[in-house]
Amino acid sequence: MSSVYSTEPTPTGRVILETNCGPIEIQLWCKECPTACRAFLQLAIDQYFCSKPFHRILDKFLIQTGGTKTLQQYGNDMISNGNEEEIISYLKKRCGGIRYRNEVHARIRFNHRGLVAMAQPIESVGSSDDNLNGQFFITLDEAPWLDGKHTAFGTVSGPTIFNALR
């Protein structure tokens, strides 16, 4: 089991998401996935994920959270969580022109539970490189078929409520 984790890069960032079931600590690979981490951190700082349910729960696969259809205030900008164009515009404004790009790293693979990844599939980025969204998922088991298809930018660590999910 320890060989699974030894191939991953050393985390260079950390965020603790407060949920209604308890905190989830996430270690981030900011050097390997700077765009995904920067967007995720900006949304976390602006409390974008507050009161968001894990709306997609697939047994032994993943839990997903992010956008909903309600309009809420983040920072000084009003965005609709369900409107991808508004989220893209918001992230560009808040992150200084951030653009989504493929951030697949050879040492980061979906080979264990607890990986945190962008819900946006890489192939949907197409030629515009502008497709960012405010959704992410956490794997509940290994999922090697996702390698190269989603940007995994962190891993769950520590004694969190996530450990109770099986």
Side-chain angles (χ1 to χ4, degrees), residues 24-135:
I24 298 177
E25 181 179 342
I26 300 173
Q27 300 289 327
L28 302 172
W29 296 303
C30 298
K31 289 182 182 178
E32 292 76 16
C33 309
T35 306
C37 286
R38 186 171 181 191
F40 180 78
L41 284 169
Q42 187 62 57
L43 290 171
I45 288 168
D46 292 341
Q47 299 181 359
Y48 175 81
F49 301 117
C50 285
S51 302
K52 297 284 188 295
F54 281 94
H55 63 271
R56 186 174 185 206
I57 302 170
L58 301 172
D59 189 39
K60 298 180 183 175
F61 180 40
L62 63 79
I63 58 174
Q64 182 174 329
T65 189
T68 63
K69 299 292 184 192
T70 60
L71 200 62
Q72 295 185 14
Q73 181 77 27
Y74 299 100
N76 292 321
D77 302 307
M78 190 70 87
I79 65 170
S80 168
N81 300 340
N83 186 333
E84 185 175 326
E85 291 161 5
E86 290 178 17
I87 294 170
I88 292 167
S89 173
Y90 171 77
L91 284 171
K92 284 182 179 179
K93 186 180 201 180
R94 299 288 290 165
C95 298
I98 192 169
R99 295 173 66 91
Y100 184 80
R101 61 188 176 88
N102 183 343
E103 293 182 326
V104 173
H105 194 276
R107 291 177 58 195
I108 302 172
R109 305 178 61 85
F110 288 92
N111 58 358
H112 63 88
R113 72 187 313 269
L115 284 169
V116 182
M118 298 297 285
Q120 180 77 26
I122 289 168
E123 68 269 3
S124 72
V125 174
S127 60
S128 73
D129 285 345
D130 286 340
N131 293 340
L132 287 166
N133 74 29
Q135 294 193 24

Side-chain angles (χ1 to χ4, degrees), residues 151-165:
T151 298
F153 60 91
T155 186
V156 174
S157 65
T160 67
I161 188 63
F162 175 76
N163 295 329
L165 296 174

